[in-house]
Amino acid sequence: MNRRLKNLVLQLLNEHRVMTIATNRRDGWPQATMVGYVNDGFLLYCFVARNAQKYANILRDPRVSIAISSDSPQPRDIKGLSLAARASSVADRDEFDYISALRLKRYPEYAASPPSATTDGVAQRAVPRPSSDNVVLLRIVPEIISVLDYSKAFGHSDLIAFSERDLDLHIESLRHHWAGTTGANAEEQAEE
């Protein structure tokens, strides 16, 4: 695996705190919502209310798509991630507690949140230590990651596969026809 590409994925995961997660509704219509997340290396975690539609969708179909990026005033500065992943709820109490502590480092403002008197799962997500009665911790394991890096070329992305060992298989670099690079020239630039 290209170390630069691996480092860019980790950098983008570490510098953002919000992602868009798309789940599959029962009627087949995709549902995209914004959620706060933390990552432990390449694994992503987010807390969701047990009564949330996205959680019901995941129980039926664990496949999710995720987008992580931010707006940039300069197109050549655009960098982001698009992931195909599988989501599952965390049952292990040690993992739940570990991620709760990790989340407080990422979102220190939650430490000042008073414990919620309500049992509403939405309100429970923002307390320092959510109750697992109303909140589910999702573990999201990437399978395919598309790394957008417009500094290489407008529309450039690298497609990589995630395995149990790590991000280890670079599938291809994509240059779109509007980037002005085609054929062998695109392959040479992709190796840079």
Side-chain angles (χ1 to χ4, degrees), residues 27-184:
D27 61 7
W29 201 269
Q31 177 182 355
T33 55
M34 302 289 293
V35 295
Y37 77 92
V38 296
N39 64 295
D40 188 18
F42 298 107
L43 296 178
L44 286 83
Y45 293 88
C46 64
F47 288 95
V48 299
R50 283 193 184 277
N51 61 356
Q53 179 65 50
K54 67 181 146 287
Y55 182 56
N57 296 343
I58 289 168
L59 287 174
R60 263 191 323 282
D61 185 348
R63 295 173 301 156
V64 298
S65 290
I66 292 174
I68 300 170
S69 189
S70 56
D71 193 15
S72 176
Q74 297 298 318
R76 298 288 270 182
D77 292 338
I78 294 173
K79 289 182 175 55
L81 301 171
S82 179
L83 297 84
R86 294 193 185 268
S88 61
S89 57
V90 172
D92 180 69
R93 191 68 208 178
D94 290 338
E95 186 176 6
F96 189 97
D97 291 343
Y98 171 73
I99 297 302
S100 293
L102 191 62
R103 183 180 71 147
L104 282 178
K105 290 179 184 175
R106 189 79 165 263
Y107 295 87
E109 62 274 18
Y110 285 8
S113 296
S116 178
T118 162
T119 58
D120 178 359
V122 174
Q124 283 288 318
R125 288 181 306 162
V127 299
R129 186 183 164 130
S131 165
S132 59
D133 294 338
N134 301 309
V135 175
V136 175
L137 174 60
L138 295 177
R139 179 190 319 106
I140 301 164
V141 180
E143 292 185 6
I144 302 288
I145 300 176
S146 178
V147 184
L148 309 174
D149 185 354
Y150 283 25
S151 68
K152 290 181 140 189
F154 190 81
H156 178 87
S157 64
D158 286 292
L159 196 59
I160 52 180
F162 186 91
S163 75
E164 290 146 11
R165 292 186 313 263
D166 205 333
L167 288 174
D168 63 356
L169 178 61
H170 182 216
I171 298 173
E172 65 182 323
S173 291
L174 302 175
R175 300 226 189 231
H176 300 286
H177 65 279
W178 61 80
T181 308
T182 58

